[in-house]
Amino acid sequence: MLALKRAAVAIALTEADDAAGGTAVLLTLRAAGLRAHSSQWALPGGRCDEGETQVTAALRELHEELGLDLREANVLGLLDDYPTRSGYLITPVVVWADASAAIAPNPEEVASVHRIALGDIERADAFDFTTHSRKHAARDPVSSRRPIYPRADGGADLPVPRSARRPRYPRCRAGTAGICLEVGA
């Protein structure tokens, strides 16, 4: 049996955009130009570098992908490891990001960032797990929330025409569970 490569994803919790004061999770849409898992919904994350812990890797990836500079004090805990078919053992690291934390997505890695309220995820009709082709992507509903898009100057929240906005909830490809936990090789 081959040894699995260590990886980590950050489950970044923050305040929801709604007036109810709930909690949300940050979910990214990966950039179309990536060689692995392009244009897929994902949690920020990646491989652990030599000598790096899963917590350190998750915080590093969160900074590289979203510009969030969090510390170990922001870590709430770890979830169970998740083995993938592609040879990774992924550790989900749960972190808290204050609402004041500036999000500046790296456009080379992230097409957009979405705050998904945990209250919305709990609804029975929250996700559509049907398979659809990219040619039908333009028919997907437009988000009622304003996603965070990268700007050329390194900032975020570039105004995007309604026709270019992403769907409110992720639709997944066949064989996935709605959120890409796989890591690029």
Side-chain angles (χ1 to χ4, degrees):
M1 183 174 181
L2 297 174
L4 296 174
K5 296 168 275 203
R6 296 299 314 204
V9 294
I11 300 176
L13 302 176
T14 188
E15 291 179 34
D17 287 337
D18 60 19
T23 301
V25 63
L26 297 177
L27 186 64
T28 69
L29 183 65
R30 291 172 54 86
L34 293 173
R35 83 182 142 91
H37 308 291
S38 64
S39 300
Q40 288 185 358
W41 295 95
L43 297 168
R47 282 185 287 205
C48 294
D49 290 339
E50 184 76 28
E52 193 174 44
T53 68
Q54 291 87 339
V55 168
T56 306
L59 294 175
R60 175 183 49 78
E61 290 285 345
L62 196 57
H63 184 259
E64 288 175 7
E65 294 179 27
L66 302 183
L68 283 172
D69 191 21
L70 302 180
R71 304 286 178 229
E72 288 197 26
N74 296 91
V75 175
L76 301 175
L78 307 177
L79 299 180
D80 292 338
D81 289 343
Y82 174 80
T84 69
R85 288 177 280 174
S86 59
Y88 287 91
L89 186 62
I90 300 174
T91 301
V93 179
V94 183
V95 300
W96 179 259
D98 290 327
S100 62
I103 299 173
N106 176 348
E108 293 180 15
E109 295 190 40
V110 177
S112 60
V113 181
H114 303 260
R115 283 179 203 261
I116 309 295
L118 296 183
D120 289 346
I121 294 172
E122 292 173 347
R123 292 190 354 242
D125 64 342
F127 296 95
D128 179 354
F129 289 106
T130 59
T131 303
H132 71 289
S133 67
R134 288 180 193 237
K135 71 179 183 178
H136 295 107
R139 295 188 204 159
D140 287 339
V142 174
S143 175
S144 63
R145 297 193 179 156
R146 192 147 182 237
I148 302 164
Y149 291 92
R151 286 195 316 231
D153 66 1
D157 212 14
L158 173 68
V160 176
R162 286 187 68 81
S163 61
R165 292 188 187 160
R166 302 292 179 201
R168 179 173 179 179
Y169 296 110
R171 292 181 182 259
C172 57
R173 297 179 181 176
T176 67
I179 298 173
C180 171
L181 291 179
E182 297 274 335
V183 185

